[in-house]
């Protein structure tokens, strides 16, 4: 099946710094990528939808100036957490969609665990 | 708006026993339905999906699910549980294609020897 990678797999940073997370589709081109956030023992919450070459669409309540998303190519999307604070500590998961219509499937990356001290 | 309800945050079975994880959904249009599995500290892996056509969907690792429109359900089953099935399972719905995936809260499957 299609493979999606994330880098880094985990990161620890000091409060106030910025962290960039990369999401790559390794063997297919993804027109659309998605960013999710998952708190411990909870479900995934969609943060934003990212389309190549255009601005990301953020879900209600997600600060677009804090969570910067760039979808520079059909295989790469990045999420930058700016001025991170302890409450931003979470598990961030990206996904990339492949296929069309009923064959369209989202493939998920392995996730990035962020700990802000 | 779409939503997903997974009954039971934890389900415990013995190895070899039937696995049944329940999922009910609501959607204003014919839904696409999905089951994903998540192992600790990992991303999600697609088990199976229903879009159109046959209502009984077979997935990987011996899992299957049946779409029942009248019951707005998409329960996940496996005839015989294996220790390696222990993980968290998420049911998700979208209103056609990938407009937006809405996930349930997840069900942790525990398998005892």
């Amino acid at each position: 099946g299609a493979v999606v990678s994330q880098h880094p797999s985990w990161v620890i940073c000091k409060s106030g710094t910025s962290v960039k997370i990369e999401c790559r589709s390794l063997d297919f081109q993804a027109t659309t990528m998605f960013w999710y956030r998952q708190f411990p023992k909870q479900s995934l919450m969609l943060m934003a939808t990212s389309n190549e070459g255009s601005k990301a669409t953020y879900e209600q309540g997600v600060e677009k100036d804090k969570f910067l998303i760039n979808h520079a190519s059909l295989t790469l999307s990045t999420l930058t957490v700016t001025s991170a604070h302890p409450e931003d500590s979470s598990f961030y998961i990206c996904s990339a969609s492949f296929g069309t219509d009923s064959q369209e499937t989202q493939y998920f990356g392995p996730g990035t665990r962020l700990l802000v001290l | 708006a779409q939503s997903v309800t997974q009954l039971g945050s934890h389900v415990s079975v013995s190895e070899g026993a039937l696995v049944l994880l329940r999922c009910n959904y609501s959607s204003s249009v014919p839904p696409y339905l999905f089951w994903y599995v998540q192992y600790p500290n990992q991303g999600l892996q697609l088990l199976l999906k229903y879009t159109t056509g046959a209502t009984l969907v077979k997935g990987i690792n011996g899992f299957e699910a049946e779409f029942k429109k009248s019951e707005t359900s998409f329960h996940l089953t496996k005839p015989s549980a294996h220790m390696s099935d222990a993980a968290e399972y998420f049911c998700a719905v979208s209103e056609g294609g990938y407009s937006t995936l809405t996930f349930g809260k997840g069900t942790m499957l525990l398998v005892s020897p």
Side-chain angles (χ1 to χ4, degrees):
Chain A
V3 178
V4 176
S5 70
Q6 279 183 245
H7 178 78
S9 57
W10 60 269
V11 58
I12 302 173
C13 70
K14 293 182 178 180
S15 184
T17 61
S18 294
V19 175
K20 179 185 284 188
I21 302 170
E22 292 186 349
C23 177
R24 294 181 184 272
S25 56
L26 297 183
D27 52 359
F28 66 100
Q29 293 184 327
T31 306
T32 304
M33 290 186 172
F34 304 84
W35 287 95
Y36 295 83
R37 185 173 181 177
Q38 185 181 31
F39 290 104
K41 301 187 185 302
Q42 294 189 29
S43 188
L44 280 72
M45 299 299 295
L46 180 66
M47 298 175 66
T49 303
S50 168
N51 290 292
E52 186 265 338
S54 62
K55 292 184 178 180
T57 302
Y58 290 82
E59 295 299 300
Q60 191 173 7
V62 178
E63 299 176 61
K64 63 180 181 181
D65 294 330
K66 181 168 187 61
F67 298 99
L68 301 178
I69 293 173
N70 182 277
H71 195 155
S73 75
L74 288 172
T75 59
L76 173 64
S77 176
T78 60
L79 168 68
T80 301
V81 183
T82 62
S83 187
H85 291 282
E87 58 266 28
D88 299 323
S89 299
S90 189
F91 193 46
Y92 293 87
I93 304 175
C94 74
S95 71
S97 65
F98 175 72
T100 57
D101 301 321
S102 65
Q103 300 304 311
E104 189 172 1
T105 300
Q106 270 192 46
Y107 293 93
F108 285 78
T112 297
R113 190 163 300 283
L114 171 63
L115 177 61
V116 185
L117 302 177
Chain B
Q2 57 201 29
S3 66
V4 176
T5 302
Q6 290 185 241
L7 298 178
S9 58
H10 292 80
V11 170
S12 295
V13 299
S14 299
E15 192 172 20
L18 171 71
V19 175
L20 171 61
L21 304 183
R22 299 178 186 275
C23 173
N24 289 88
Y25 70 92
S26 68
S27 175
S28 57
V29 300
Y32 286 13
L33 296 160
F34 308 82
W35 276 100
Y36 286 89
V37 60
Q38 184 180 34
Y39 296 99
N41 297 312
Q42 294 186 29
L44 275 68
Q45 180 181 9
L46 179 67
L47 277 178
L48 49 81
K49 65 177 182 179
Y50 168 81
T51 54
T52 59
T55 57
L56 181 63
V57 180
K58 295 185 183 299
I60 62 172
N61 301 339
F63 285 93
E64 62 181 37
E66 186 171 12
F67 169 58
K68 293 186 176 180
K69 183 178 178 181
S70 61
E71 300 177 7
T72 61
S73 69
F74 191 58
H75 302 330
L76 181 70
T77 61
K78 181 174 180 177
S80 177
H82 192 272
M83 296 295 289
S84 61
D85 295 327
E88 185 142 29
Y89 292 80
F90 291 95
C91 181
V93 63
S94 75
E95 294 185 340
Y98 276 100
S99 50
T100 302
L101 270 180
T102 298
F103 286 88
K105 292 187 175 182
T107 298
M108 180 66 72
L109 176 65
L110 307 170
V111 183
S112 56

